[in-house]
Amino acid sequence: MSARVVVTLGEEWMNEPETAAEELRRSGMRVEQVLDQLGVVIGSLSAAEAEKVRALSGVAAVEDEETFGIP
C-alpha cells in the first residue's frame, strides 16, 4: 500500500530538483509535484520504497503528508 509523502531534498540535490525527482522515480516513488523553490518533492511510496528513498544521499527527510480538513 502506498502512502503520500513529502521528500525534503538535501544540499546535494537542492539546486537540481528535476534530477532528484528522476532518481526518486527510479527508486519507486510516484512523483506528483516538485516544489523546486522549497526543495521538496511530493508523491506516493510504499513502506519498502520509503526506506530505499531515505537511504539516498540527496534526501534530507521522508515524511508522511499531513492532511487537514474542516468539519
Side-chain angles (χ1 to χ4, degrees):
M1 178 176 197
S2 293
R4 288 187 46 91
V5 296
V6 176
V7 176
T8 304
L9 304 178
E11 289 294 321
E12 182 177 328
W13 280 345
M14 189 62 74
N15 294 322
E16 299 179 51
E18 289 304 323
T19 300
E22 187 55 40
E23 187 63 30
L24 293 169
R25 285 184 188 98
R26 282 195 289 270
S27 295
M29 183 174 181
R30 186 171 347 130
V31 174
E32 297 170 18
Q33 193 170 16
V34 178
L35 304 174
D36 52 352
Q37 296 294 319
L38 300 175
V40 169
V41 180
I42 300 170
S44 303
L45 286 170
S46 70
E49 293 164 338
E51 289 306 313
K52 188 176 179 181
V53 167
R54 280 186 183 93
L56 295 173
S57 63
V59 172
V62 178
E63 301 171 300
D64 290 336
E65 182 183 55
E66 297 290 328
T67 58
F68 299 94
I70 298 174

